[in-house]
Amino acid sequence: RRGKMAKSTQLIDNEVFRAYATYTAIVLLKMMLMSLITAYFRITRKAFVNPEDTASFGKGESAKKFLRTDPDVERVRRGHLNDLENIVPFVGIGLLYALSGPELSTALLHFRIFTGARIFHTFAYLIPLPQPGRGLSWAVGYSVTFSMAYKVLKTAWLL
Amino acid sequence: RRGKMAKSTQLIDNEVFRAYATYTAIVLLKMMLMSLITAYFRITRKAFVNPEDTASFGKGESAKKFLRTDPDVERVRRGHLNDLENIVPFVGIGLLYALSGPELSTALLHFRIFTGARIFHTFAYLIPLPQPGRGLSWAVGYSVTFSMAYKVLKTAWLL
Amino acid sequence: RRGKMAKSTQLIDNEVFRAYATYTAIVLLKMMLMSLITAYFRITRKAFVNPEDTASFGKGESAKKFLRTDPDVERVRRGHLNDLENIVPFVGIGLLYALSGPELSTALLHFRIFTGARIFHTFAYLIPLPQPGRGLSWAVGYSVTFSMAYKVLKTAWLL
């Protein structure tokens, strides 16, 4: 058993895979942070969706007025959904890319640019920065994932 | 070829990886169940979004009245989105965690608590239970993923 | 180090894993395409959510009228969310399935049917085709993922 276990944890000894693990953990933690920011705005703006969430504000009509949408809450939620739409492909394709034997320096370049672009995208969405700031950071992350997908398909292609 | 195949399927022989596979399949199936519950409520509450989905109820105005939102449908959909936001990080970070060589007992503890918390979260959302039931179960799952991310970053760190 | 790296990229030498990598890259790229289609409809229909996105159309009231929802935009967004709900489980469970040692022909059957069903689902949603076209293609993809989850749980089960 010990031998098998040692073998199967070898992935984490591979430098490209370690880089993938580091950046994937970072972008997923960044995405998880959106939940906390949503909660913060829901509480400070007193804007909820579920009746049971407003029960502590009183009963009946007095609590009902907190069942409303707030522009700041909706903005964070859009940022969160955009993260899901873009970070999910990065995590999936990035794993295959890390296993397709790229050079460490090339892999690091991909992971770093993607992670930087998504962190910038979050600031651009939440501040908000004037366009095309957010649009460009989205396109940069998108292109990185696309480039990794190209490498994966070139290496693994078996249809 | 046979040799290679045997080698590359070794991951599934690793006990921590087997535990990861088991719990990941369970939480992803649980998440997929939300689609069926949404469909159930859409059909029983007759509340649809797409005009083509109401065609079987007749034509013109008689079908149009079923293009509406229903509180039960929206509640399931919020639960489904919350699953996506929380189960995606678990699956991604959990894989890296399983490959970072944790003790089986520690890994099982993480996977079991996360899975239990998300199943409870679904019940808390759909019944619904009074707060802070749903909030706490969300926080428990969130903390487990955070704890696994910490282990991944400590083991793999390569920026 | 070289030896380790060679070993850990061996996954990509496994034919089932190569097939998984190919189809996963294809469905994730297909999902990413939904972002471009959303952007296309937002621009051609002039329907935006964020005030900063309409700044180039002028100031004040003249730009404000483009902050609106458009049926075509919303349709693509629903298709995109449906992709997330279904492609995420496929990618996660599919990886475990590919590592559970299935026959190449069985694995290819699963991956091909899922990918075909999701591509059909996108056309059915966007054209739109009359029901039950979209519903059936959804059910086919769902069943494939379910079948893979069954194999994973049968092979890996460790609770």
Side-chain angles (χ1 to χ4, degrees), chain B residues 1 4-12 14-26 28-29 31-36 39 49-53 77 80-81 84 88 91 95 104 108 112, chain C residues 7 10-11 13-16 75 78 81 84-86 88-89 92-93 95-96 98-102 104 124-125 128-131 134 138 141-143 145-146 149-150 152-153 155-159:
Chain B
R1 178 146 317 161
K4 267 178 194 171
M5 202 166 292
K7 248 184 204 164
S8 55
T9 55
Q10 79 196 354
L11 267 179
I12 216 81
N14 173 296
E15 286 191 316
V16 171
F17 194 81
R18 280 176 53 204
Y20 168 74
T22 305
Y23 287 96
T24 289
I26 290 171
L28 287 175
L29 286 171
M31 186 171 92
M32 287 169 68
L33 185 63
M34 304 306 275
S35 299
L36 292 183
V49 217
N50 299 297
E52 67 269 27
D53 300 353
R77 294 185 64 223
H80 200 164
L81 187 58
L84 268 174
V88 163
V91 171
L95 172 68
L104 177 61
L108 278 171
R112 282 171 185 159
Chain C
K7 249 183 200 165
Q10 78 196 357
L11 267 179
D13 298 330
N14 174 295
E15 285 191 317
V16 171
R75 183 173 279 278
R78 288 196 298 277
L81 187 58
L84 267 173
E85 293 170 358
N86 290 280
V88 163
I93 291 172
L95 173 68
L96 305 171
L99 297 175
S100 74
L104 177 61
Y125 221 144
L129 297 180
Q131 285 285 26
R134 195 184 86 235
W138 171 83
Y142 196 89
S143 308
T145 306
F146 198 87
Y150 175 78
V152 168
L153 289 174
T155 312
W157 190 261
L158 193 159
L159 207 61

Side-chain angles (χ1 to χ4, degrees), chain B residues 46-73:
Chain B
K46 292 200 170 58
F48 299 90
V49 217
N50 299 297
E52 67 269 27
D53 300 353
T54 63
S56 62
F57 297 115
K59 286 185 180 180
E61 291 309 309
S62 65
K64 227 173 198 172
K65 66 168 183 265
F66 302 122
L67 294 177
R68 57 190 190 83
T69 58
D70 172 89
D72 290 327
V73 171

Side-chain angles (χ1 to χ4, degrees), chain A residues 64-82:
Chain A
K64 228 174 197 170
K65 67 167 183 266
F66 302 123
L67 294 177
R68 56 189 190 85
T69 57
D70 172 89
D72 290 326
V73 171
E74 296 310 307
R75 183 173 279 278
V76 187
R77 294 185 64 223
R78 289 196 297 276
H80 200 164
L81 187 58
N82 195 283

